[in-house]
Amino acid sequence: EPDEHDEHDEHDEHDEHDEHDDFDQHAAHVHDYASVYISREAAQLEIEFNIPAVNVFGFEHAAKNEEQQQIIKDSFEKFYKVATIMTIQPECSTREIEYEKEHHTHADHEQEPMAEHSDVEIEYSMECPENKPLTIDFTIFSSFPSLREINVKFISSDSVELFNVTPQNPTINVN
C-alpha cells in the first residue's frame, strides 16, 4: 500500500467525501495539498501558507546545483509578487512577507531508512479596510500547478471558518 509521502502517489483515491473531514487532515506533509491560516483582527490580516516544497520547487532536498538554486530563487520571487499567489478585494496593502523552507528528515520503516520532507512557509502581514467583507482569490494554482487543494482556516473575532479551495473553486468570501 503506498505511503502518503510517496513522491509518485498521485492521490487518485481522493474522493469528494474527504473534503468534509477534519481541517488538519492535510496539515501534515502531504504532496499536492497546502494549508493556509488566515487571521483577521480589525484592519490586520495575517496569512500563512504551508506548502510541500515538491509542489513549489519540484524537489524536496537541498539544492544540489546552480539550476536548482535558481528554481528556488525564482519560486520565492513569485511569492513576493502577491498577485501571483492571491488577490484580495477590497485591496489590502502588504506590510511584510516572510518565508522559510523547513527540512525534515526522519526514519520511516515503510520507506528508505531516512525519508526527506521539506515544506515552504510564507507569511503575509497585510492592512485591509476594516469592517468590510473580503474576497480572496487564490491565484497560486497558476503559479504552482501541481497543487490540487488548499485547506484554508479563517479566524476572526467573530468566527472560525474552514474552506477547501481548488483550481476549479479558488475563491473565498470572509468577513
Side-chain angles (χ1 to χ4, degrees):
E1 181 175 313
D3 184 277
E4 68 182 60
H5 299 293
D6 186 342
E7 286 183 54
H8 304 291
D9 182 7
E10 293 295 323
H11 301 282
D12 290 330
E13 292 85 33
H14 181 79
D15 70 21
E16 297 300 316
H17 301 292
D18 288 347
E19 63 185 287
H20 300 292
D21 291 349
D22 289 339
F23 173 79
D24 291 329
Q25 101 184 42
H26 295 303
H29 181 96
V30 179
H31 295 175
D32 306 337
Y33 295 87
S35 301
V36 175
Y37 297 92
I38 304 173
S39 64
R40 184 178 191 185
E41 187 173 325
Q44 308 302 314
L45 189 69
E46 303 291 327
I47 303 174
E48 179 184 321
F49 284 80
N50 190 308
I51 309 168
V54 71
N55 294 109
V56 176
F57 311 127
F59 54 89
E60 294 189 274
H61 54 75
K64 294 182 177 176
N65 54 44
E66 285 184 31
E67 180 184 358
Q68 289 181 349
Q69 289 172 346
Q70 188 63 44
I71 289 170
I72 290 173
K73 181 178 181 238
D74 292 346
S75 296
F76 279 121
E77 284 179 11
K78 289 179 185 178
F79 286 106
Y80 280 100
K81 295 176 185 155
V82 178
T84 66
I85 304 303
M86 64 191 153
T87 59
I88 302 175
Q89 294 298 325
E91 196 168 321
C92 300
S93 60
T94 304
R95 293 191 335 259
E96 185 177 13
I97 301 173
E98 295 180 20
Y99 69 87
E100 183 177 330
K101 181 176 184 263
E102 291 187 356
H103 187 80
H104 308 280
T105 305
H106 62 88
D108 185 333
H109 300 294
E110 306 219 1
Q111 290 187 346
E112 62 276 5
M114 296 302 280
E116 291 185 34
H117 303 291
S118 296
D119 294 310
V120 175
E121 289 183 7
I122 309 291
E123 293 180 32
Y124 296 89
S125 296
M126 306 178 112
E127 187 102 16
C128 299
E130 279 191 64
N131 303 317
K132 291 195 176 187
L134 298 177
T135 298
I136 304 173
D137 185 26
F138 290 91
T139 55
I140 190 170
F141 294 107
S142 297
S143 297
F144 301 105
S146 65
L147 277 178
R148 294 178 51 164
E149 184 176 307
I150 300 173
N151 292 312
V152 179
K153 185 174 191 175
F154 175 81
I155 302 170
S156 70
S157 58
D158 299 330
S159 67
V160 174
E161 298 179 67
L162 306 178
F163 301 91
N164 289 306
V165 180
T166 63
Q168 298 77 26
N169 187 20
T171 305
I172 64 172
N173 294 295
V174 294
N175 287 313

